[in-house]
Amino acid sequence: MINYDYIMVRFGELSTKGKNKIDFIKTLGNNIKNALKDFNNVGIDIRRDHIYVQLNGEDYLPILTRLQDVSGIHALSLVYKCSKEIDDVKASALELIKQEKGKTFKVKVKRSDKQYSIHSEEMTRIIAGHILRNTDNLTVDVHNPDILLSVDMRQEACYIFSSTYEGAGGYPLGVGGKSMHMLSGGIDSPVAAYLLMKRGVMVECIHFASPPYTQQGVIYKLEDLLHKLNRYQPRIRLHIIPFTKIQEAIYDNVDESYCITLMRRMMFRLADRLAHRRKCPVISTGESVGQVASQTLASMNVINAVTNMPVIRPCATMDKLDIIKISEKIDTYEISIRPYEDCCTIFTPLAPKTMPHLDEVIEFEKKFDYESLIQEALNNVEVKFISEDDEEIL
Ligand code: ATP
Ligand code: MG
């Protein structure tokens, strides 16, 4: 087995220009450093077009696996470093290609060191010839090879790489700003948070708790969910809003079929206020069109009317099964399906409105002083930080 020296990180979608690109690369470099902080020996070398993770003897596999979760990385390649002696290059190229699966290959030589005595085309012939002579079932295919063996002759050494692994894609976390994310204990909202993170957006979470109707177990559940998401965002702020009084006021004053609509309008009012306070320019949710009564387009319209902020709904058009697939991938599914009562499930009326009328909603809202209840809830927010480093909650 060959011991790889580096993992080369490629940016892909990040190929923007100018100052943005510099900021992106800096942010990505920091995110990578943070993701690999438990690997004491690795070094990170940030260049204009790539980031090199120097393995310094560490096993590549756990590092590669960790890097595959870092957003903003398009692809990852394992790199072997050898001397520029032609015999050394030939032998290394052969060793590397023997570890690959495939029937056809292509050698691609880049001569970054313009002083190097052998030209690229000749190098390509020498290396490919050596591989053909010393393997049994490999042939050259220059158009669509199974294995692309890249050889980069630089000033200081020769770098060879073949295996390329897919990265998470998207943008580096942090370049997209921050969203106030409504987190329930369900399946959808953690998935929505993950999709935002992948897009470079950090989240702060807001949760509406209605004790004693909802239990402390829900909060543990949220903490466990956020611990899973810490893999994508190492530190997450969770705001827990006391929602009981608002919910009771609604049920005392509002026709049953309108309770969910009003409750959700109150949630969005609170999210809007907190988002302003926390300097988040948008709100986000795990809503999915048509899933339940409050998620018909007509309901969304009436509910959304309480805020001017954009509301991002990453799961909006996804099928439940596809949302579940993602939740399994990010390991939140098993936590999400734990049976705990949510404030939405507790007061669920038998026949919630799927076509609420805004004028009726406004009439109901005149019947109680929700503004002071909202103020009171905001004055009593409980804040928790969920981070990778506090293991005891796990
Ligand atoms: P989820 O699986 O995310 O719970 P859901 O399909 O159960 O979603 P709803 O319960 O109608 O749908 O909630 C829709 C969205 O509203 C959730 O994805 C979440 O963003 C937000 N939400 C619902 N309940 C709460 C809550 N108690 N606290 C914070 N946000 C909530
Ligand atoms: Mg729910």
Side-chain angles (χ1 to χ4, degrees), residues 181-190 192 206-209 218 243 260 263-264 267-268 284-288 291-292 294-295 320 342-345:
H181 186 69
M182 290 166 58
L183 185 75
S184 67
I187 295 169
D188 306 335
S189 46
I206 178 170
H207 178 77
F208 307 97
V218 179
F243 199 59
I260 293 279
M263 192 181 81
R264 295 197 59 80
M267 285 184 177
F268 275 88
S284 49
T285 78
E287 288 164 296
S288 181
Q291 226 184 55
V292 288
S294 62
Q295 297 177 22
K320 191 75 183 185
D342 182 69
C343 65
C344 287
T345 43

